[in-house]
Structure formats: C-alpha cells, structure tokens
Amino acid sequence: MNTHHLLLCAMFLVLMINITRSQGNDDLYSNCGNLFNCGSIQGIGYPFWGESRSSSCGYPALELACEDNAASIMISNVKYKVLSVYLDSEVEVLQIAREDFSAGICSPDFVNTTLDPALFSLINGYVNSTFIYGCPNLPKPNVPSQFSCTIRGIANKIGYVAPGAVGPGSCFKSVVVPISLQWDNRSASLEKVGQQGFEVRLGVDFAACKGCANSKGVCGYDILKNTTACYCADGSSGSATCAPSAAGGPQGQPGSKGTHAFLKS
C-alpha cells in the first residue's frame, strides 16, 4: 500500500472516530435531558442519574432507583427511601429515611448511617442518635426513649435510644440514625421518627451546571475528570458552556420543561 492510500485510510479513521464521538455526545445530550420521575419525586435532573438517565448524567454516588412507584437511593450500602427533594437557598436538600426502618424499628440491618461528608451534610435540626437493642437492663431507671423488640436468637428485648453515636455496650447491637432535635417521645413514636427520616444537604457545586444550562446545554458528569460536563446539541462536550451555534432548544438543565426547581432560570 502506497503512502497516498495510507494517508487516506488515516484520514478516514480519524473522521469515523470523530463521528462516533459526536454521536455518543448527541446521545448524552438527549439522554441527560431526560428527568427522573417516580411517584411523588418528579422532575429530577443533575446531579442525579438513574432509570432513564445514564451514569454519565450525574455523580456516581447519586443514583436514584424507582421501585413500586417509590424513589430510593443507596448511600454507603444502606438503602434509603427518598421522601422529598427541595431547594434551600440554592442548595439542594433531600429528605431520606432508612428502608429498614420503614416498617418499624425492630428489624434494622444493624449498619450505622454513614454519610460521605464531601457529598452530604445533616441540615440544622438533626443529630445522630443510637438505637440500642437487646439489653439485659436499662442504663438508668425511667429512660424516656425505651422500646421493646424481639430479635431472633436474643433473649433480651429491652432497647432504648441514646444521644450521639455510641456503641452497644453490654447490649446486643446498635444502629446510629439521625433524628430530629424536635422529637420527644410524647409527641411522636419512635417508629414515626424512623419513617420520617432526616434531611441532608448536597455538597455539590452547581455553578458549573448553571452556566451550562444558561447556554442551553445539558449537565452531566465526567467521571474521568471528576467534574461537571456540559453536553451540547451539536455533540460537543469539552467546554464549560455551549457555543451559540451548538446550543439546543429549551431542554437544557436547569430551566428545562418540568425540570427540578433547583437553580431554575
């Protein structure tokens, strides 16, 4: 094969790579323009992914799932129901509840609630507390937040809630769960407290996504660069915003039709 043919083959290969890459980014522009809808949780976009949104549409740890018309998320190997998602001073807040507490407090997975501090932080008004199970006796008389649970293979049924994150001591096991500071055992049961869950603030910088959305791009996440990606209608994605010729219609997030309220333009 002569030099001319080699040059033509090389040019054709480069052209095909660029076309394939452009088509892939076109797909991401369309795919990440979809919003997550499940039950009462509607119109959720970046930084989340899941269901009709591919993994390139959001942070790796923020995958939402929809089962039986209920939204859920896995955090540090614990499954949570997503009860609400709302905006507080341009910061996104999730109200989540441990799924193992959804039917009561007597069948926990005995895994502490652990939140990645780089991504989640408890909002003011919630504090870590420890549900302690299978105790031979109470640590002191008249503990206000005591309960009784039958645990297979464990004779002792006594349990109670201790402030802070502590271990089980002489008891069987313990589970650390955030609860509201406003709770007292006279106004709501422990079961209700577990079902209401707690609220966390997302530690996500939305500035880059806002710039992308304002240029009619669609926000996603570049896992290789560990940063926000901006997908444009022409298939480009290397810039923080879309050029006027690359901008699409009104589907860019935030500000798209039916989009989640955060950073809505």
Side-chain angles (χ1 to χ4, degrees), residues 3 8 13 25 36 46 63 66 79 120 132 134 136 173 178 195 198 238 240:
T3 303
L8 286 176
L13 181 61
N25 288 335
F36 178 88
Y46 181 84
E63 179 185 8
C66 186
K79 189 176 182 178
F120 304 102
I132 301 177
K173 284 189 177 181
Q195 292 165 359
F198 55 94

Side-chain angles (χ1 to χ4, degrees), residues 207-226:
C209 182
K210 190 171 185 178
C212 174
N214 288 340
S215 68
K216 296 185 179 180
V218 174
C219 301
Y221 192 80
D222 188 331
I223 194 170
L224 296 178
K225 297 179 180 179
N226 196 31

Side-chain angles (χ1 to χ4, degrees), residues 9-257:
C9 288
M11 291 175 64
F12 178 76
L13 181 61
V14 169
L15 178 62
M16 291 304 297
I17 291 174
N18 287 335
I19 289 174
T20 302
R21 183 177 300 166
S22 176
Q23 288 175 338
N25 288 335
D26 283 345
D27 291 341
L28 289 174
Y29 174 81
S30 176
N31 181 266
C32 296
N34 295 326
L35 299 173
F36 178 88
N37 297 296
C38 180
S40 62
I41 307 301
Q42 296 288 311
I44 306 299
Y46 181 84
F48 296 96
W49 64 282
E51 298 298 315
S52 63
R53 294 173 53 79
S54 73
S55 59
S56 296
C57 300
Y59 276 58
L62 296 180
E63 179 185 8
L64 296 177
C66 186
E67 303 172 65
D68 299 324
N69 214 31
S72 63
I73 186 171
M74 292 289 295
I75 302 175
S76 299
N77 297 317
V78 175
K79 189 176 182 178
Y80 296 86
K81 290 186 174 182
V82 179
L83 304 180
S84 68
V85 185
Y86 67 91
L87 188 69
D88 180 23
S89 301
E90 293 203 358
V91 176
E92 195 160 24
V93 175
L94 279 73
Q95 182 183 4
I96 55 177
R98 291 176 61 120
E99 188 176 68
D100 56 341
F101 274 35
S102 62
I105 62 172
C106 288
S107 55
D109 292 334
F110 294 116
V111 177
N112 289 337
T113 297
T114 304
L115 303 173
D116 180 354
L119 199 53
F120 304 102
S121 60
L122 285 174
I123 71 167
N124 294 334
Y126 291 88
V127 63
N128 279 332
S129 299
T130 305
F131 286 67
I132 301 177
Y133 296 82
C135 300
N137 48 57
L138 292 170
K140 60 183 179 180
N142 302 319
V143 173
S145 51
Q146 59 184 282
F147 57 87
S148 177
C149 285
T150 299
I151 300 172
R152 182 181 298 178
I154 303 298
N156 297 318
K157 299 181 180 181
I158 298 173
Y160 66 97
V161 179
V166 299
S170 62
C171 302
F172 173 58
K173 284 189 177 181
S174 62
V175 181
V176 176
V177 181
I179 64 175
S180 173
L181 286 171
Q182 297 179 352
W183 174 79
D184 67 76
N185 65 322
R186 295 166 297 180
S187 61
S189 67
L190 284 170
E191 287 80 4
K192 191 70 171 178
V193 170
Q195 292 165 359
Q196 290 174 342
F198 55 94
E199 295 176 299
V200 292
R201 182 179 291 108
L202 279 185
V204 173
D205 181 7
F206 290 106
C209 182
K210 190 171 185 178
C212 174
N214 288 340
S215 68
K216 296 185 179 180
V218 174
C219 301
Y221 192 80
D222 188 331
I223 194 170
L224 296 178
K225 297 179 180 179
N226 196 31
T227 188
T228 300
C230 186
Y231 305 124
C232 304
D234 69 346
S236 61
S237 63
S239 301
T241 59
C242 297
S245 60
Q251 82 171 71
Q253 298 175 34
S256 63
K257 179 178 67 175

